[in-house]
Amino acid sequence: MKLITAAVFTVATLLASQVQAASNYTYSNTEYCELVAQNAVDNLLKAYAKKLGFTPARSACVQLLNPMTAQLTQDAEAQIRAYSRGSARKLPASVVQQLKAMPVEQRRAALVQIYG
């Protein structure tokens, strides 16, 4: 009888700790973005976003998963904006993408060539 009582008590304690662990789970936008990157099922993403309280934007996911790439892209955009400010020329999107892919010095030289 004592053995059965001890086993029931142990199982109850184990279940209670699992329930508590599940309720203490921390949802993060980084984990959501990782799920998106892994092409998770839409239902899972919707449920995770509901638990999280919002759906992170794609740009936020890019910055969370690739912070260095996001920083380089922002730097490139700032450099392109600085050179194009006050100019009537609008660069095509394909040229802007090529400029972003260039190293900083090469991009600067190309922008000087384009804008003078």
Side-chain angles (χ1 to χ4, degrees), residues 14-81:
L14 188 62
L15 288 175
S17 66
Q18 287 177 348
V19 168
Q20 184 179 7
S23 67
N24 288 339
Y25 188 80
T26 303
Y27 294 88
S28 70
N29 49 355
T30 303
E31 189 172 18
Y32 177 88
C33 293
E34 289 170 351
L35 289 171
V36 169
Q38 295 168 1
N39 295 323
V41 181
D42 286 338
N43 291 340
L44 175 64
L45 293 175
K46 287 178 184 175
Y48 198 96
K50 185 176 179 181
K51 293 281 188 176
L52 188 58
F54 66 99
T55 303
R58 177 177 281 183
S59 59
C61 286
V62 168
Q63 290 178 350
L64 285 170
L65 298 178
N66 301 321
M68 193 59 168
T69 304
Q71 182 63 37
L72 291 174
T73 303
Q74 288 174 351
D75 292 346
E77 288 172 356
Q79 192 178 26
I80 292 168
R81 268 195 317 274

Side-chain angles (χ1 to χ4, degrees), residues 7 12 78 85:
R85 194 170 288 132

